[in-house]
Amino acid sequence: TMQSRYSSSYNTGEMESPNGPIDNGYPQQQQEQQRRQPMEPEEDDYYYDQEHPDDEQPGDDMDPTMMERHEHDDQDEHDDDQDEHDDDQEDATGAEDAVLDLAELEQLQEEAERMKGLGNKHMAAQEYTRAYNAYSAALQLSPVGPSSHVFLSNRAASLLSLKRYSAAAVDARRAVALAPTFGKAHARLGQALYFLKQYRGAVEAYEDALRFEEEEFGNGGNSAVT
């Protein structure tokens, strides 16, 4: 047909008319070379193809093992951040608890000192049982505090006045264990051992008292509470 002939002529570079082929002015060899040479892409298309090959997305050709490894790395980083956040919260909580504990200890110590003062008043009034109870309350509030050796030594003094010598010796020894250089504790231990007829121990305790305490105790000495 006429349409197919024109289409064939367009592809071959020749134009035909009903009367025969029309020479388009190109040599036959050049026409053949043009037919065989592929069409080069336009410059814009070339650079687009180089920058966006097949419009593939990053990571489309990534190895599944590598993708899984990246996911694990991201999870590990998230876990590390969470651990650091938790550690910061724990540190803050621990610091607050330490402040609260310190404040509570200071209040307990203040109350213990108040009870010791009350015990001293009872000793001065010769109310030895009440003095013993006040010193015991101080020890319950602060069993191993900075003044616990004083509470024990004073309670030993009240026990001596109550003629409970064995208990007085126990408290005096506990006071010496907490404060080995506290002379009054040694003196009350010496007095308790004396009444228990443990004279050798009493002498040694008095010698330690003289070595650690410069003041004189006088008779008895058990009422000179601190």
Side-chain angles (χ1 to χ4, degrees), residues 22-81:
I22 298 177
D23 187 4
N24 58 10
Y26 292 100
Q28 184 69 24
Q29 184 177 4
Q30 185 176 0
Q31 293 177 13
E32 182 69 20
Q33 185 176 2
Q34 288 176 351
R35 278 199 308 273
R36 294 180 179 178
Q37 184 174 1
M39 293 182 64
E40 294 183 359
E42 294 291 335
E43 183 175 358
D44 293 342
D45 294 338
Y46 172 77
Y47 285 110
Y48 180 84
D49 292 339
Q50 293 296 319
E51 295 175 1
H52 308 278
D54 298 332
D55 287 335
E56 64 182 6
Q57 297 298 322
D60 289 346
D61 58 346
M62 183 178 291
D63 183 16
T65 304
M66 293 296 294
M67 293 180 66
E68 184 177 357
R69 189 174 301 170
H70 281 295
E71 291 176 357
H72 283 307
D73 291 342
D74 293 340
Q75 184 63 35
D76 291 341
E77 291 179 1
H78 175 74
D79 293 341
D80 291 341
D81 293 339

Side-chain angles (χ1 to χ4, degrees), residues 115 118-123 127-136 154-155 158:
M115 295 306 298
L118 183 61
N120 291 350
K121 291 181 180 179
H122 288 311
M123 286 292 293
E127 298 172 346
Y128 303 124
T129 299
R130 290 183 178 180
Y132 170 84
N133 291 335
Y135 296 138
S136 296
N154 286 4
R155 191 168 73 171
S158 67

Side-chain angles (χ1 to χ4, degrees), residues 105-121 134-135 137-151 154 226:
L105 287 173
E106 289 177 350
Q107 291 179 353
L108 291 174
Q109 183 63 32
E110 290 177 0
E111 182 63 17
E113 292 289 345
R114 190 181 73 82
M115 295 306 298
K116 184 200 77 169
L118 183 61
N120 291 350
K121 291 181 180 179
Y135 296 138
L139 284 167
Q140 288 179 349
L141 291 167
S142 180
V144 287
S147 300
S148 298
H149 64 288
V150 176
F151 304 157
N154 286 4
T226 301

